[in-house]
Amino acid sequence: MQYQSECFEALKSVSKVSKPFEKVLMDTLKLFMAIPGKVNFLQMGRYGEFSEQTYRNNFENEAFDWFAFNEYLVRKVLNGKFLAIAVDPSFLPKSGKKTPWIGRFWSGVAGEMKRGQEIFGVGVIDVENHDCMTLSAPQTPDAKSLEEMDYNLVEWYCQNLIILKEKLQKISRLVVADAFFSKETFVNPLLKEGFHVISRFRNDAVLFYPTLQKPTGKRGHPKWYDGKVDFANLDLSRCEEIEVDKGRLIGLKAYSKSLKRSIKVVVWYPDEEDTTKWQIYFSTDDSMSTKDVIDCYRTRFQLEFCFRDAKHYAGLNDCQSTDLRKLEFHRNAFASINIAKVACKELGIPFSISSCKSIIHNAYMLNRFICVFGLQPDSQVIDKLFKELVLFTARAA
């Protein structure tokens, strides 16, 4: 009941939703948690209140504002003072000659390029509470489609964020991405749009110390920087060191050759004999503290858990349609994970997607049994059934 209540409240935040579509959407989001196996149209027709064809038809709806729906849920859970926008692609295994935008994409699990589809996940991270919720997940075009759009892959990622600029900047102006995105073609366009970027450099990144020399008054531009940063032998007089467990954390301001601008740099050295295994993080906002940069980047990984939950429990890999509209609707329907998080928070219980799915499945099946009996329900018997059976298979993830 709490899950359905949160879903209905979120729907109120989205304008122009017809009553027939609202009924199908409410049932769809409930089924994403109630169906124990694969979540596809055939299973929805078996478990749901409507026919399989009804779900197929409604999945063609392109007018529904999934971003506003998810944003409402995000604001109910992520109430920390330090929020940021996290982005990360995720590989989806797919096959078929007629599957749209299928191609070769990087799979982090396999550690290689594989044939399938890819989504570009955009989420919000709460750095203080180490939590994350998703906002959208558009599908990445294949190489041929990108060429027709006159984009390369990085430019397409960047353009998706720029399109959502006004909506995203109401939440945060800080974008957090992994090392793949530490490129001028991604960072500088976002800076022009008012964003700041936190990411990670390669270990051989070329950085320079900012100059300490004062203007001499002579002709010509003043000196830009003093010398190249040697990460094996840092000039500690220009750095600040923060105490951390299992390593050293050093922050400094530097000039990046690749980004052509001054940035905040954070270097982490592990407690190992090999001193070449440092990791270099950066923020284009050079006023950020060393701790905020490293905390923000490490919290970015919470987005990976959203992908994991959606793939294992919300059927992200299960849609077998060849229609881009239906695929898009199916991917956005993993908002069911967000609804489950809101419901757990309102009930004051720890979030576990495995337990949520088990409880909702059990409650859904018991409700179906009671409805099918067609007898006058006994409230005492029903209460006993729910107490004993709904929590029967609930467990921590």
Side-chain angles (χ1 to χ4, degrees):
M1 292 299 296
Q2 186 68 39
Y3 180 89
Q4 288 182 308
S5 174
E6 297 300 339
C7 182
F8 184 71
E9 289 297 323
L11 274 174
K12 287 182 179 179
S13 67
V14 182
S15 60
K16 298 180 181 179
V17 178
S18 65
K19 287 296 181 181
F21 176 74
E22 180 182 309
K23 291 179 181 179
V24 177
L25 180 62
M26 286 283 292
D27 191 59
T28 298
L29 292 173
K30 179 174 62 178
L31 291 175
F32 267 72
M33 287 287 102
I35 295 176
K38 288 189 174 183
V39 184
N40 52 35
F41 294 126
L42 181 62
Q43 289 283 74
M44 289 179 188
R46 288 171 176 170
Y47 281 82
E49 299 177 8
F50 304 96
S51 67
E52 177 185 343
Q53 190 60 45
T54 300
Y55 294 110
R56 289 182 180 274
N57 294 339
N58 279 271
F59 268 47
E60 295 177 0
N61 190 321
E62 297 180 284
F64 184 69
D65 192 348
W66 284 104
F67 192 98
F69 184 84
N70 285 315
E71 184 183 2
Y72 174 86
L73 298 170
V74 165
R75 293 188 183 279
K76 292 197 72 172
V77 175
L78 306 184
N79 48 18
K81 296 181 180 179
F82 189 6
L83 301 180
I85 306 300
V87 298
D88 195 30
S90 182
F91 175 79
L92 305 180
K94 290 287 181 181
S95 60
K97 294 181 180 179
K98 296 184 179 181
T99 304
W101 287 357
I102 192 169
R104 295 187 63 80
F105 299 98
W106 177 259
S107 170
V109 175
E112 61 182 1
M113 300 289 285
K114 295 189 69 176
R115 182 173 171 79
Q117 292 178 328
E118 183 187 83
I119 58 173
F120 181 55
V122 180
V124 182
I125 57 173
D126 186 340
V127 180
E128 294 178 6
N129 300 312
H130 298 281
D131 201 359
C132 177
M133 294 175 70
T134 52
L135 286 172
S136 65
Q139 183 178 340
T140 306
D142 61 340
K144 183 179 179 181
S145 300
L146 282 173
E147 186 177 350
E148 293 173 355
M149 297 177 186
D150 199 22
Y151 286 132
N152 60 38
L153 189 58
V154 175
E155 290 172 345
W156 184 86
Y157 291 146
C158 185
Q159 191 62 30
N160 268 272
L161 295 177
I162 292 174
I163 291 172
L164 297 172
K165 178 183 73 171
E166 293 183 2
K167 297 178 180 179
L168 291 175
Q169 290 184 353
K170 291 178 181 179
I171 302 171
S172 176
R173 290 179 175 269
L174 197 60
V175 176
V176 191
D178 63 16
F180 174 80
F181 296 90
S182 60
K183 299 175 174 64
E184 181 186 4
T185 52
F186 180 82
V187 174
N188 288 344
L190 290 182
L191 289 173
K192 291 179 181 178
E193 299 295 333
F195 288 102
H196 277 293
V197 178
I198 291 179
S199 186
R200 178 183 163 189
F201 280 131
R202 288 172 37 173
N203 284 14
D204 59 352
V206 178
L207 302 173
F208 298 92
Y209 290 112
T211 183
L212 299 178
Q213 180 180 328
K214 296 181 180 180
T216 61
K218 297 180 180 180
R219 295 179 62 184
H221 196 283
K223 191 175 181 181
W224 283 103
Y225 35 77
D226 286 342
K228 186 177 177 181
V229 178
D230 182 4
F231 292 101
N233 187 23
L234 284 176
D235 183 355
L236 297 180
S237 64
R238 296 171 176 261
C239 308
E240 60 171 346
E241 184 170 354
I242 295 179
E243 293 184 3
V244 292
D245 296 333
K246 299 180 180 179
R248 299 168 60 209
L249 192 64
I250 297 176
L252 68 152
K253 290 183 179 180
Y255 179 86
S256 169
K257 181 179 179 181
S258 61
L259 301 181
K260 299 179 178 60
R261 61 179 292 113
S262 295
I263 57 174
K264 177 72 175 185
V265 178
V266 177
V267 190
W268 181 72
Y269 294 92
D271 285 334
E272 298 178 2
E273 294 182 2
D274 187 357
T275 59
T276 63
K277 293 184 178 180
W278 56 75
Q279 294 178 358
I280 309 170
Y281 308 93
F282 74 90
S283 170
T284 56
D285 182 2
D286 57 7
S287 65
M288 284 189 70
S289 68
T290 301
K291 187 175 184 303
D292 284 347
V293 174
I294 193 69
D295 286 347
C296 195
Y297 186 86
R298 289 180 174 177
T299 308
R300 179 201 64 84
F301 197 78
Q302 293 293 324
L303 183 58
E304 299 286 354
F305 296 140
C306 294
F307 291 146
R308 178 202 64 185
D309 292 344
K311 290 177 180 179
H312 292 179
Y313 299 99
L316 184 59
N317 292 334
D318 298 340
C319 187
Q320 297 175 340
S321 176
T322 57
D323 189 326
L324 271 174
R325 296 170 299 174
K326 294 176 182 178
L327 287 168
E328 182 77 14
F329 194 98
H330 186 96
R331 286 191 300 272
N332 282 303
F334 69 71
S336 54
I337 304 292
N338 291 343
I339 301 171
K341 284 189 176 183
V342 176
C344 286
K345 182 177 180 180
E346 294 297 321
L347 293 172
I349 59 176
F351 172 72
S352 166
I353 185 60
S354 177
S355 289
C356 285
K357 194 170 178 73
S358 295
I359 292 170
I360 292 172
H361 169 72
N362 293 347
Y364 182 79
M365 295 304 295
L366 282 172
N367 187 56
R368 289 291 296 270
F369 292 155
I370 294 168
C371 292
V372 169
F373 286 157
L375 303 174
Q376 185 67 28
D378 187 322
S379 59
Q380 293 182 351
V381 173
I382 290 175
D383 288 343
K384 185 178 179 181
L385 283 172
F386 270 79
K387 288 177 181 178
E388 292 185 4
L389 298 180
V390 167
L391 302 177
F392 183 71
T393 59
R395 61 188 186 278

